[in-house]
Amino acid sequence: MIVSQEKIHEIGIRLFTACGASPEHAEIVIRELIIASLMGLNSHGIMRILQYLQQVEEGQIKPDAPIQTIFETEVSAIVDCNWNFGMVCASKMTEIVYEKASVHYIACAASRHCNHIGRLGAYTQMLAEKGMFAYAVTNSSRHGHFVSPFGGIDGRLATNPISYAVPAFPNPIVFDMSTSMIAEGKIRFLRDKGEYLPGGYILDSFGNVTNDPNEFYGPPRGTILPFGGEQGYKGFGLSLMVEILGSALSGVALTPENEKDQYINGFFILAIHPALFGADQVFAKNIEVLKNYILSSRPRKGTRGPMMPGELDFENIVKNKTQGLEIPDSVMDGILTIAYKKYGFRFEPI
Amino acid sequence: MIVSQEKIHEIGIRLFTACGASPEHAEIVIRELIIASLMGLNSHGIMRILQYLQQVEEGQIKPDAPIQTIFETEVSAIVDCNWNFGMVCASKMTEIVYEKASVHYIACAASRHCNHIGRLGAYTQMLAEKGMFAYAVTNSSRHGHFVSPFGGIDGRLATNPISYAVPAFPNPIVFDMSTSMIAEGKIRFLRDKGEYLPGGYILDSFGNVTNDPNEFYGPPRGTILPFGGEQGYKGFGLSLMVEILGSALSGVALTPENEKDQYINGFFILAIHPALFGADQVFAKNIEVLKNYILSSRPRKGTRGPMMPGELDFENIVKNKTQGLEIPDSVMDGILTIAYKKYGFRFEPI
């Protein structure tokens, strides 16, 4: 069904505050979910409302938990999210690196006990909108280790995304890639539709390339290949770096194995103020020159030509703001049911 | 022909000092070229002696030029290499970030007027060998813009490599990838042998995929595709980040277009001391646990199983140290000829 973003916003605020989040925190979570859906990134959008409400009930998300800086220097912080909403934690960490980088021109932060942070590009984008270069990664605990290392056939890494963003006009440049051939959510989507994958994306549990999503889910479970096909050592190497920044470097040997921690994200974010190299007066201009140079390339046949990272996402926002958000009936039903059964809310007919 | 590394070292030192480099600088250059060749990375190895000697003659490399920090904060520096050897500059910058990161736990540097720096992984490796996490990129001036943006057919970026390294036992983990499907040097190599490329690596000047290296060289010239095939927007996005870090962020709009600057590298290096997150006591152990976990994956059929980034390079060093370096006769002849004609050196028969 088609739902306006205002309606979803109202529902989100009421439900998240009802389950214990402050209005400010509820606003962060629902805002990020709406933006992801507006961008067309549905797997990180509205459908997560249901998951988060369930996680609150299970005690995995603790909406009133304090978010604490447990270690810091002038240019760094480890932030213990204490199982609050991942988006609340990650947003707080982004503010912390912004404050520190405003003074020292470079700063970074790493998380502890952090739930699902959603769209990684949300946080680099926040810093780019405030004039900084930002770089972020996030790993996931072993539960999410769907991706095999290059040359291996057992899951050892998550889809480990990398994002960076820089200020640009009219929208920042926001890059956000997974280091695997495909996201697990997309395989699930194809399986549910009874469809096959392109070749070279996944392995069955014996390490054979397969097109069949059922071979991936098993049991026994298969794996997703690292990004890059025959050059998958590149995707693997980048993924390993995400794992290192997301946990080893900040003092965690490997994200924990126990069930409680299955949704953990090891989030790392770095902010650089252009004054770090004395370039604050020319940075915006430099990006503009670079952008125009890239976009001046002749388009490849059958494409609309080169685009800046994130450009399509911003176009989708404009399109979907007028069209409203398309939300699967099952997701909307699930949200309305939990709203009534658990919190006694009846929302106006949508 | 097969030449011992001792012999190449002797030749390199004599020639580079004869053309004006200090013994210390000559040592840096020849050492890095030898290591690259020992690793099997011939395009960044001994064959460059000839190129560098020619560039000295042309005035592109100025072996006695001062290397100056022209801007700095406690955690950053812009280093003007003044056209000294790129490896001398990049090594100096690596020392600078090491010193700064030893005190402030994070530091970075960017270059100006820097010649070819050779193997990017050399510098991240130096920092990893001293216990730090290191990340580095380098762009190239427009002369080297062989790579088309995703969706475009004109060269707008160089092969823009990314490297990171972390301490590990017995060798550091050293990752070094280009963000394009193939290096220009490899296309040249195939053309000279009269061979074809795999599909999906290059475009002709009209933007059609081709296997023929001659279509790439033209004229008119074709382009190399960004890394990633159908997901080439990922390789393109990473390459754009390299361009931003290598020049826009440090105050350079685009690497210059004029002939003199054609060999310029915009080198950016970041060092993180594990004390940044208070993890100095556990970092090495964390990497060991992670490494063992990755390597515990069952191997994929037809491979030797998962490997750490850089592992093959370190194996090649051991192998080639005993076997000696295989150098094409034409390269060795060129070096010996310039040695005699320009500097009057006759080396012992090799």
Side-chain angles (χ1 to χ4, degrees):
Chain A
M1 68 183 77
I2 303 290
V3 187
S4 74
Q5 58 164 316
E6 291 75 16
K7 190 77 200 170
I8 285 290
H9 185 267
E10 179 202 333
I11 293 173
I13 292 286
R14 284 199 66 184
L15 287 173
F16 289 136
T17 50
C19 76
S22 67
E24 184 201 355
H25 288 178
E27 174 64 30
I28 289 170
V29 178
I30 193 65
R31 185 189 65 211
E32 289 309 329
L33 293 177
I34 288 173
I35 290 172
S37 278
L38 286 172
M39 284 181 165
L41 309 167
N42 293 313
S43 62
H44 287 63
I46 300 307
M47 58 174 275
R48 297 277 181 174
I49 293 179
L50 203 56
Q51 177 197 325
Y52 292 172
L53 291 174
Q54 283 160 352
Q55 289 186 305
V56 170
E57 243 173 293
E58 292 158 6
Q60 171 68 31
I61 293 179
K62 302 191 166 117
D64 55 353
I67 294 168
Q68 296 163 308
T69 297
I70 57 170
F71 173 91
E72 68 179 321
T73 72
E74 287 188 328
V75 291
S76 65
I78 296 180
V79 178
D80 193 328
C81 302
N82 286 309
W83 307 116
N84 204 317
F85 288 95
M87 287 158 172
V88 172
C89 313
S91 298
K92 177 72 185 163
M93 288 167 62
T94 304
E95 281 170 30
I96 290 171
V97 295
Y98 175 74
E99 295 299 332
K100 287 180 184 284
S102 296
V103 180
H104 301 285
Y105 304 151
I106 189 167
C108 52
S111 69
R112 289 279 195 287
H113 308 118
C114 181
N115 282 305
H116 182 250
I117 63 164
R119 182 176 68 96
L120 184 63
Y123 313 102
T124 53
Q125 185 184 331
M126 288 174 196
L127 291 167
E129 284 168 350
K130 293 178 166 184
M132 294 192 182
F133 170 89
Y135 185 84
V137 301
T138 187
N139 72 355
S140 286
S141 47
R142 295 192 193 200
H143 172 80
H145 286 190
F146 297 112
V147 183
S148 40
F150 190 71
I153 66 170
D154 291 306
R156 287 293 178 271
L157 294 158
T159 53
N160 286 4
I162 295 174
S163 174
Y164 73 85
V166 286
F169 182 81
N171 295 304
I173 293 169
V174 183
F175 174 80
D176 189 348
M177 71 171 262
S178 78
T179 53
S180 61
M181 287 303 290
I182 189 169
E184 186 269 333
K186 288 186 189 162
I187 305 174
R188 188 179 297 267
F189 184 74
L190 290 171
R191 184 194 60 176
D192 294 349
K193 290 208 299 177
E195 292 183 7
Y196 288 85
L197 288 89
Y201 280 42
I202 56 172
L203 301 178
D204 67 19
S205 64
F206 303 102
N208 302 306
V209 176
T210 176
N211 297 60
D212 184 354
N214 294 298
E215 296 280 351
F216 169 75
Y217 287 104
R221 201 163 78 174
T223 55
I224 305 173
L225 285 164
F227 167 57
E230 66 196 66
Q231 294 181 31
Y233 51 88
K234 293 184 178 178
F236 163 63
L238 291 170
S239 181
L240 186 67
M241 181 194 66
V242 172
E243 178 65 31
I244 290 167
L245 291 173
S247 72
L249 186 67
S250 66
V252 180
L254 264 179
T255 49
E257 209 162 1
N258 71 66
E259 201 188 343
K260 164 108 176 51
D261 294 347
Q262 67 183 291
Y263 300 99
I264 200 174
N265 270 179
F267 174 59
F268 169 92
I269 187 161
L270 169 79
I272 295 181
H273 190 297
L276 184 68
F277 290 123
D280 32 338
Q281 300 305 310
V282 294
F283 186 46
K285 177 72 185 160
N286 288 352
I287 295 293
E288 197 61 19
V289 170
L290 175 59
K291 182 176 163 181
N292 291 337
Y293 174 62
I294 300 282
L295 297 181
S296 73
S297 163
R298 290 169 296 162
R300 194 169 165 190
K301 218 176 291 173
T303 76
R304 53 180 270 186
M307 282 181 286
M308 285 296 108
E311 196 170 331
L312 276 183
D313 300 327
F314 289 110
E315 285 181 10
N316 282 337
I317 290 182
V318 175
K319 194 179 71 187
N320 290 324
K321 267 194 175 169
T322 53
Q323 292 182 353
L325 293 163
E326 191 176 335
I327 298 172
D329 291 356
S330 60
V331 169
M332 209 58 221
D333 286 348
I335 293 171
L336 296 180
T337 302
I338 204 169
Y340 182 66
K341 288 206 174 151
K342 172 82 182 164
Y343 301 104
F345 297 155
R346 269 191 200 282
F347 292 100
E348 302 276 309
I350 290 165
Chain B
M1 68 182 77
I2 304 290
V3 187
S4 73
Q5 59 164 316
E6 290 75 18
K7 190 75 199 172
I8 285 292
H9 184 267
E10 179 203 333
I11 292 172
I13 292 286
R14 283 199 66 185
L15 287 173
F16 289 135
T17 51
C19 76
S22 67
E24 185 201 355
H25 289 178
E27 175 64 30
I28 289 171
V29 178
I30 193 64
R31 185 189 64 210
E32 289 308 328
L33 293 177
I34 288 173
I35 290 172
S37 279
L38 285 171
M39 284 181 165
L41 309 167
N42 292 314
S43 62
H44 288 63
I46 301 307
M47 58 174 276
R48 297 277 180 173
I49 294 179
L50 204 55
Q51 176 197 324
Y52 293 171
L53 291 174
Q54 283 160 353
Q55 289 185 304
V56 169
E57 242 172 294
E58 291 157 7
Q60 171 69 31
I61 294 178
K62 300 192 168 120
D64 56 352
I67 293 168
Q68 295 164 309
T69 297
I70 56 170
F71 174 91
E72 69 179 320
T73 72
E74 286 187 330
V75 291
S76 65
I78 296 179
V79 178
D80 194 327
C81 301
N82 286 308
W83 307 115
N84 204 318
F85 289 95
M87 287 156 172
V88 172
C89 312
S91 299
K92 178 70 184 166
M93 288 167 62
T94 304
E95 280 170 30
I96 289 171
V97 295
Y98 175 75
E99 295 299 332
K100 288 180 184 284
S102 297
V103 181
H104 301 285
Y105 304 152
I106 189 166
C108 51
S111 69
R112 287 281 195 286
H113 308 117
C114 180
N115 281 304
H116 182 251
I117 63 165
R119 182 176 70 95
L120 184 63
Y123 312 102
T124 53
Q125 184 183 332
M126 287 175 197
L127 291 167
E129 284 168 351
K130 292 178 168 185
M132 294 192 182
F133 170 89
Y135 185 83
V137 301
T138 187
N139 71 355
S140 285
S141 48
R142 295 192 193 199
H143 171 81
H145 286 190
F146 297 112
V147 182
S148 40
F150 189 70
I153 66 169
D154 291 305
R156 287 293 179 270
L157 294 158
T159 53
N160 286 4
I162 295 174
S163 174
Y164 73 85
V166 287
F169 182 80
N171 295 304
I173 294 168
V174 183
F175 174 80
D176 189 347
M177 71 171 262
S178 78
T179 53
S180 60
M181 287 302 289
I182 190 168
E184 186 268 334
K186 287 185 188 163
I187 305 174
R188 188 179 296 266
F189 184 73
L190 291 170
R191 184 194 60 176
D192 294 348
K193 290 207 298 177
E195 293 182 8
Y196 288 86
L197 287 90
Y201 280 42
I202 55 171
L203 302 177
D204 67 19
S205 65
F206 303 102
N208 302 306
V209 176
T210 176
N211 297 60
D212 183 354
N214 294 298
E215 296 280 353
F216 169 75
Y217 286 104
R221 201 164 78 173
T223 56
I224 305 173
L225 285 164
F227 167 56
E230 65 195 66
Q231 295 181 30
Y233 52 86
K234 293 184 177 178
F236 163 63
L238 291 170
S239 181
L240 186 66
M241 182 194 67
V242 172
E243 178 64 31
I244 290 167
L245 290 174
S247 74
L249 186 66
S250 66
V252 180
L254 265 178
T255 49
E257 210 162 359
N258 69 66
E259 199 188 343
K260 162 105 177 53
D261 293 347
Q262 66 181 293
Y263 299 100
I264 201 174
N265 270 179
F267 174 60
F268 169 92
I269 187 161
L270 168 80
I272 295 181
H273 191 296
L276 184 69
F277 291 121
D280 33 338
Q281 299 304 309
V282 295
F283 185 48
K285 177 71 185 160
N286 288 351
I287 295 293
E288 198 61 19
V289 170
L290 174 61
K291 183 176 163 180
N292 291 336
Y293 174 61
I294 300 282
L295 297 181
S296 73
S297 162
R298 289 169 297 162
R300 193 169 166 192
K301 219 176 292 173
T303 75
R304 53 180 270 186
M307 281 182 286
M308 286 295 109
E311 196 170 331
L312 276 183
D313 300 328
F314 289 108
E315 285 181 10
N316 282 337
I317 289 182
V318 174
K319 194 179 72 189
N320 290 324
K321 267 194 175 170
T322 52
Q323 292 181 354
L325 294 162
E326 192 177 334
I327 298 171
D329 291 356
S330 59
V331 170
M332 208 60 220
D333 286 348
I335 294 171
L336 295 181
T337 302
I338 205 169
Y340 182 65
K341 288 206 175 152
K342 171 83 181 163
Y343 302 104
F345 297 154
R346 269 190 199 282
F347 292 101
E348 301 276 309
I350 291 163

